[in-house]
Amino acid sequence: MRKTSELIDTLVESATPVRRLAPPLWRTCIWLALAALILALLCVVHGVRPDLSMRLRQPVFVVSMFGALATAVLAALASFKLNLPESPRRWLLLPLPGFAVWVSTIGYGCLTDWVSMSPDGIRMGEAARCFATLLMTSVPLSVVMLIMLRYAAPLRPTMVSTVGGLAVAAMTSFALSLLHSLDATIMILIWNLGMAALIAGMASALGRPMLAWAAGRVMPLLPPQLSKPQ
Amino acid sequence: MPGRSKENPPCSETPRLTLVRTPASITGQGSRGQWSALMARAQDGDREAYRTLLTEVEPYVRSIAIKYLRSSSDLEDAVQDVLMTVHSIRQTYDPKRPFGPWLVAIAHRRIIDQLRRQTRRRSREIELSTEHETFAAPPAKLFGERSVEIALVGAIDKLPPDQRDAIRMMKLEEMSLKEASQASGRSISALKVATHRAIRNLRKLLKGELS
């Protein structure tokens, strides 16, 4: 085993100036600005759903959209807060109010619209375009969040990546509701909750190795002679 | 205080009680504030400040780790792990915030991670005790071999006489079929059959004894 004094020597020798991490609120704004940019591009390329103006007059739809957006914003802020070592765990609870509103409106929609699901409710062409939108929204947002949260790798990777995954999932769901008119009950469940569970679940399961990978690739944090697998 | 000393010059004959301020680095109260300043300078690339910080922080981290870890090598591992983590995420420290909670949170997280790793390792691996070493040693194994030998001899004794003689000559004394035939006055084929039956019966007898 190496001596601690030798380790200190190695760390001091490799110490270069570092740029301090921006405050969590500022980092949340950067991530949200990127999300807004992606959404704007998708709106220009794909166009919003044809019945958007009509749907925006329905309170349940508006509350659902607001719930998803609030979940995305609050979960992003929570993940950037939890990224800091000394932040208390209760930041984990921050996205819960938005999440509760979002899920309850989906549940309400499913109950009231159950009978309105028609045989042609699921159309393969529309579903494929939805899937493309889903990838175009969630992949860049996930990659950026992974890079922005990489310092959580040695601290609490699972917690941070789960909340980060929830932010991506909620933002993706918001984009889908804005762009695609898939309102059949089963599709709502699959796209909204199913995808949210999938993205957050993947982030939770792969959080530790992915954050460690991003930390090592984006900026080697330790001198090479000290780098070892965790 | 210079002003005061001018007003009341020290008298060499009268003993005086003077109040001395303890340096902040010793009390620990002020050291965290100093650590904060040292880390801020280290973030800007001041290596001497960084060396001072890590050297001062090390015993403090050790005092946290000693509450959780008993073995000296585990303790050293934990201290070094905390220092490496401090180094790798020093960007996350904001000098506007206190340094203590930042360091303590990192130390606790890494020590808990080490304890988890140890628990996982211990659930998969068994450390060899003197008992294991005793039974793994050759004299201890001879006891097991000896007991199998005794059981085999006992089983051979239980065989019918023709089979017992055949197995003794063919397997224990390692005689060839021809030699055994000459010694016993029996044909080679009769010896082959007797040996085959003896082995089958021995297998049954030993299996019964073992079960």
Side-chain angles (χ1 to χ4, degrees), chain A residues 7-18:
Chain A
L7 173 78
I8 291 176
D9 288 342
T10 315
L11 294 178
V12 169
E13 278 162 29
S14 69
T16 47
V18 290

Side-chain angles (χ1 to χ4, degrees), chain A residues 1-2 4 9 11-21 85-86 89 151 154-155 219 221-222 230, chain B residues 40 43-44 47 50-51 73 76-77 80 84 87-92 95 97 101-102 105-106 109-110:
Chain A
M1 190 201 290
R2 90 171 76 77
T4 305
D9 288 342
L11 294 178
V12 169
E13 278 162 29
S14 69
T16 47
V18 290
R19 203 174 66 183
R20 287 178 199 117
L21 216 55
E86 74 274 33
R89 278 164 178 250
Y151 296 111
L155 296 169
M219 184 186 289
L221 302 169
L222 279 175
Q230 290 292 310
Chain B
Q43 285 175 326
D44 295 336
R47 288 187 177 173
Y50 194 38
R51 183 184 295 282
S73 66
E76 211 57 35
D77 271 353
Q80 294 191 5
M84 284 197 284
H87 179 82
S88 59
I89 61 168
R90 61 194 189 281
Q91 287 92 330
T92 64
R97 299 195 307 267
W102 184 81
I106 293 173
R109 182 57 45 193
R110 295 313 295 166

Side-chain angles (χ1 to χ4, degrees), chain B residues 60-76:
Chain B
Y60 181 66
V61 171
R62 195 178 295 276
S63 74
I64 298 173
I66 211 162
K67 290 177 197 162
Y68 299 89
L69 301 158
R70 293 283 168 267
S71 136
S72 62
S73 66
D74 286 347
L75 188 65
E76 211 57 35

